[in-house]
């Protein structure tokens, strides 16, 4: 009886919490679940802030192209000259078998997604029927004066989904108004407007400051030209010695320096008067994004000459390493011959080059490796920035480290020994160019890290060759960066064509890179390896 009363009394003790639970059980449960759910929600770490400068969409599209074909064609093709006088009779221009579809097909089949035509070279002869001169295809016997080389190429390129670029030479040795500032600038812009409004989407407009000694002084109103070009063709980039969108690498050998910044100060450059060293290297402190284009001809001359022969496929592969492999675009001139076709010997060499390149870069040995890093932005559970992202082709996925780190390292464990002699690195340049110094180590037969190569800039694409090594482990170490370094791709390849070297042996305490001794041995230390 007493126990029963005590229990009854306890049940009715004044307890507002108990009363609340008993009166509003559903509300309490919902509140409890929501409050705990809110605590459990975690948002992903956002991407790092891009660092200025970084590319426009047009510049990014240009960089992704890797290579383009230059097509020097005109009266010089028929007169066996390089710089025409501007006074050759238009009747000399008469290609009997011109086929722009063949040009485009050669480009597409060999990995060149863009072609650039000399619509007007220094001689002033126009490969389209311009309304502003009689010195053009309309005055030639080709197609009975009704031909249009630019038009035929534009149609062929559009059909094949190949990008089109045009070169309109500022120097004009035929035009009477050349030398008169207002008159000639009006004439030039009128012809530029024809090209940019008649032929569809133009992806690149090519200009230079070439002019022979002793020629008339001429003031070009470049800023007016640039504004008009961007207005008429907003998807195009403009190439010149000094940009504004793409700059000349500073030589016609198709070779960029090993340090190649896309950063640049346009205020330090002028078309026709830019310091070659500055143009070649770029500027780590530059405020503008103006990447380099490497122009070179497959033959000794820019126009076709019957007496000349093309470079070998191995030569073209070397050019690829020294241009595309150094954060630049390779603009390879392949001039049509006097019949209006790309010569068979040139086509053959391009095909061999394409096969060589594909045989090296079609498969990365790194695809089979286990990847880890010194840290990962947002922690090891953040798959967006994980180290394994570097195995994905392209630049739009990437590894990012945690902020405020003192060292940045990526490790590849191949799980079994592999041999290789080429490394490819890529930065996500849409986030800015960052890396200023790096090196690559491998583990030798003594179980020690040994440096096999070092470099400065990476940019869109960096290809590095070295005497072959055999190892199970590789480490990329970023030594210096403008901000937290980001790596979009790391590839490991074998080149049996252009590299002659021996596998590193444990009896040697050093390695070699580019014929100079580079030795850096580091104790093998797994404590640096982390997934977060």
């Amino acid at each position: 009886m007493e126990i029963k009363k005590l229990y009854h009394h306890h049940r009715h003790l004044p307890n507002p919490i108990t009363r609340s639970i008993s009166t509003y059980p559903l509300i309490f449960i919902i509140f409890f679940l929501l409050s705990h759910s809110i605590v459990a929600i975690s948002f992903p770490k956002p991407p790092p802030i891009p660092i200025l400068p970084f590319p426009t969409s047009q510049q990014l599209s240009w960089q992704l192209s890797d290579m383009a074909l230059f097509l020097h064609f005109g009266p010089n093709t028929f007169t066996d000259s390089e710089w025409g006088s501007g006074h050759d009779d238009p009747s000399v221009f008469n290609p009997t078998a011109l086929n722009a579809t063949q040009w485009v097909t050669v480009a597409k089949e060999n990995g060149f997604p863009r072609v650039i035509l000399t619509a007007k070279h220094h001689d002033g002869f126009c490969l389209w029927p311009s309304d502003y001169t009689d010195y053009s295809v309309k005055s030639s016997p080709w197609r009975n004066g009704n031909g249009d080389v630019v038009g035929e190429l534009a149609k062929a390129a559009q059909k094949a989904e190949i990008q089109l670029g045009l070169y309109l030479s500022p120097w004009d040795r035929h035009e009477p108004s050349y030398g008169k500032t207002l008159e000639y600038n009006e004439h030039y812009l009128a012809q530029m407007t024809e090209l940019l409004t008649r032929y569809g989407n133009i992806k690149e407009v090519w200009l230079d400051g070439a002019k022979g000694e002793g020629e008339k002084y001429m003031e070009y109103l470049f800023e007016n030209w640039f504004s008009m070009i961007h207005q008429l063709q907003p998807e195009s980039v403009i190439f010149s010695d000094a940009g504004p969108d793409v700059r000349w690498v500073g030589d016609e050998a198709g070779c960029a320096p090993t340090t190649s910044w896309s950063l640049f100060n346009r205020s330090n450059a002028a078309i026709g008067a830019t310091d070659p060293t500055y143009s070649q290297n770029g500027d780590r402190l530059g405020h503008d994004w103006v990447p380099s284009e490497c122009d070179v001809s497959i033959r000794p001359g820019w126009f076709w000459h019957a007496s000349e022969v093309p470079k070998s496929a191995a030569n073209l592969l070397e050019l690829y390493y020294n241009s595309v492999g150094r954060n630049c675009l390779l603009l390879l001139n392949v001039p049509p011959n006097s019949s209006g076709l790309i010569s068979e010997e040139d086509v053959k060499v391009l095909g061999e080059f394409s096969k060589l390149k594909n045989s090296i870069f079609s498969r990365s040995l790194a695809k089979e490796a286990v990847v880890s890093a010194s840290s990962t932005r947002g922690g090891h559970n953040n798959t967006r920035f994980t180290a394994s992202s570097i195995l994905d082709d392209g630049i739009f996925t990437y590894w990012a480290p945690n902020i405020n780190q003192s060292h940045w390292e990526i490790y590849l464990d191949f799980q079994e020994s592999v041999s290789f002699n080429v490394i490819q690195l890529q930065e996500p340049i849409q986030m800015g160019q960052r890396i200023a110094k790096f090196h690559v180590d491998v583990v030798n037969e003594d179980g020690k890290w040994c440096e096999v190569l070092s470099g400065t800039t990476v940019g869109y694409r960096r290809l590095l060759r070295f005497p072959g090594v055999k190892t199970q482990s590789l480490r990329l170490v970023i030594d210096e960066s403008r901000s937290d370094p980001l790596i979009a791709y790391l590839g490991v390849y074998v080149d049996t064509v252009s590299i002659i070297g021996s596998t590193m042996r444990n009896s040697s305490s050093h390695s070699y890179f580019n014929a100079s001794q580079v030795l850096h041995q580091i104790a093998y230390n797994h404590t640096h390896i982390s997934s977060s």
Side-chain angles (χ1 to χ4, degrees):
M1 175 83 84
E2 293 300 320
I3 293 174
K4 198 171 182 181
K5 285 181 179 179
L6 182 61
Y7 172 72
H8 181 77
H9 178 73
H10 176 74
R11 272 200 324 168
H12 292 86
L13 285 175
N15 188 332
I17 296 177
T18 305
R19 186 163 60 247
S20 172
I21 293 173
S22 62
T23 309
Y24 307 107
L26 183 59
I27 295 175
F28 179 82
I29 292 169
I30 292 173
F31 174 78
F32 179 84
L33 292 175
L34 284 176
S35 64
H36 281 70
S37 296
I38 291 170
V39 172
I41 290 174
S42 62
F43 296 100
K45 186 77 171 176
I49 191 111
I51 59 172
L52 292 170
F54 51 86
T56 64
S57 60
Q58 299 95 316
Q59 290 171 319
L60 196 56
S61 174
W62 170 89
Q63 189 84 67
L64 294 173
S65 299
D66 263 350
M67 302 188 297
L69 276 193
F70 215 172
L71 302 166
H72 274 65
F73 190 56
N76 294 345
T77 307
F78 303 86
T79 60
D80 201 29
S81 59
E82 285 288 304
W83 280 8
S85 66
H87 302 292
D88 293 315
D89 193 304
S91 64
V92 302
F93 184 83
N94 191 20
T96 56
L98 189 145
N99 185 348
T101 298
Q102 187 241 11
W103 305 351
V104 168
T105 300
V106 169
K108 188 168 186 175
E109 289 182 348
N110 293 290
F112 294 81
R114 177 175 300 188
V115 294
I116 301 175
L117 174 69
T118 55
K120 184 189 78 171
H121 204 251
H122 310 323
D123 57 13
F125 186 85
C126 299
L127 296 184
W128 81 100
S130 175
D131 294 336
Y132 297 96
T133 182
D134 58 358
Y135 200 54
S136 76
V137 287
K138 66 185 178 184
S139 298
S140 77
W142 177 66
R143 304 273 197 261
N144 296 316
N146 297 312
D148 184 346
V149 180
V150 178
E152 292 189 22
L153 178 59
K155 289 179 181 177
Q158 182 180 30
K159 185 175 181 180
E161 298 182 337
I162 289 291
Q163 300 169 9
L164 177 63
L166 297 172
Y167 170 41
L168 186 67
S169 172
W171 182 29
D172 190 323
R173 306 186 77 180
H174 178 84
E175 173 54 39
S177 67
Y178 188 84
K180 301 174 183 177
T181 300
L182 179 61
E183 290 89 336
Y184 183 71
N185 277 278
E186 289 178 342
H187 174 83
Y188 185 90
L189 273 183
Q191 290 194 322
M192 180 67 78
T193 300
E194 288 181 324
L195 291 174
L196 301 186
T197 57
R198 293 183 182 179
Y199 300 107
N201 194 8
I202 306 301
K203 284 291 192 176
E204 184 166 349
V205 175
W206 216 87
L207 309 173
D208 61 16
K211 189 170 70 171
E213 293 183 10
E215 294 291 327
K216 297 176 185 177
Y217 172 77
M218 181 72 230
E219 181 183 356
Y220 303 125
L221 303 181
F222 285 120
E223 293 303 321
N224 299 60
W225 298 5
F226 298 160
S227 295
M228 178 65 76
I229 292 166
H230 282 149
Q231 180 191 95
L232 297 176
Q233 289 286 344
E235 294 184 15
S236 71
V237 294
I238 302 171
F239 166 96
S240 80
D241 305 27
D245 303 312
V246 178
R247 75 180 193 266
W248 183 42
V249 75
D251 62 53
E252 293 185 344
C255 182
T258 54
T259 296
S260 180
W261 290 100
S262 293
L263 283 60
F264 196 69
N265 275 328
R266 289 189 58 213
S267 59
N268 291 349
I271 298 177
T274 302
D275 176 13
T277 302
Y278 185 71
S279 183
Q280 288 164 359
N281 293 287
D283 190 341
R284 177 177 174 170
L285 302 178
H287 299 296
D288 305 304
W289 185 274
V290 190
S292 290
E293 187 168 274
C294 298
D295 57 326
V296 63
S297 185
I298 196 171
R299 290 164 173 258
W302 290 93
F303 286 87
W304 177 83
H305 305 287
S307 61
E308 295 180 351
V309 296
K311 294 175 171 64
S312 69
N315 290 151
L316 297 187
L317 182 62
E318 188 71 18
L319 289 173
Y320 181 82
Y321 277 115
N322 293 335
S323 56
V324 176
R326 293 178 178 175
N327 188 37
C328 300
L329 183 141
L330 173 61
L331 178 58
L332 180 65
N333 180 62
V334 182
N337 60 30
S338 56
S339 68
L341 299 171
I342 294 176
S343 299
E344 289 183 8
E345 57 265 37
D346 294 14
V347 175
K348 182 175 182 290
V349 168
L350 287 171
E352 292 171 350
F353 160 64
S354 181
K355 288 178 181 178
L356 284 179
K357 182 165 65 71
N358 292 339
S359 71
I360 297 167
F361 298 106
S362 60
R363 177 178 174 267
S364 169
L365 298 175
K367 296 284 187 181
E368 309 301 323
V370 175
V371 187
S372 58
S374 53
S375 68
T376 298
R377 184 178 177 85
H380 65 277
N381 290 325
N382 193 339
T383 57
R384 179 169 186 178
F385 304 115
T386 183
S388 61
S389 298
I390 68 168
L391 302 181
D392 299 334
D393 294 327
I395 62 171
F396 296 105
T397 58
Y398 52 89
W399 165 76
N402 265 334
I403 61 174
N404 301 321
Q405 299 296 300
S406 59
H407 67 278
W408 308 291
E409 298 174 354
I410 292 178
Y411 301 85
L412 297 185
D413 181 0
F414 298 103
Q415 302 183 74
E416 60 181 25
S417 292
V418 296
S419 299
F420 54 88
N421 56 8
V422 178
I423 297 286
Q424 179 177 180
L425 297 173
Q426 290 186 269
E427 290 183 85
I429 57 170
Q430 69 276 13
M431 306 295 288
Q433 188 176 355
R434 299 166 178 248
I435 297 171
K437 187 178 180 182
F438 66 92
H439 69 272
V440 173
D441 304 326
V442 299
V443 174
N444 64 16
E445 293 178 359
D446 294 329
K448 295 180 179 180
W449 285 112
C450 183
E451 183 177 302
V452 293
L453 64 88
S454 62
T456 52
T457 51
V458 174
Y460 172 63
R461 194 186 304 279
R462 186 70 194 273
L463 298 171
L464 301 111
R465 296 171 290 176
F466 48 92
V469 297
K470 186 174 183 180
T471 187
Q472 187 172 323
S473 300
L474 177 151
R475 174 171 66 183
L476 169 66
V477 182
I478 311 301
D479 300 300
E480 190 177 336
S481 185
R482 295 175 62 231
S483 184
D484 289 340
L486 308 175
I487 297 292
Y489 186 76
L490 194 162
V492 176
Y493 305 94
V494 179
D495 179 348
T496 60
V497 179
S498 60
I499 295 296
I500 299 176
S502 59
T503 300
M504 182 178 61
R505 300 181 185 278
N506 64 354
S507 59
S508 174
S509 62
H510 52 265
S511 59
Y512 295 88
F513 174 57
N514 283 352
S516 55
Q517 184 172 321
V518 180
L519 180 56
H520 196 94
Q521 276 203 340
I522 313 157
Y524 188 50
N525 187 351
H526 274 295
T527 62
H528 285 169
I529 301 177
S530 170
S531 59
S532 63

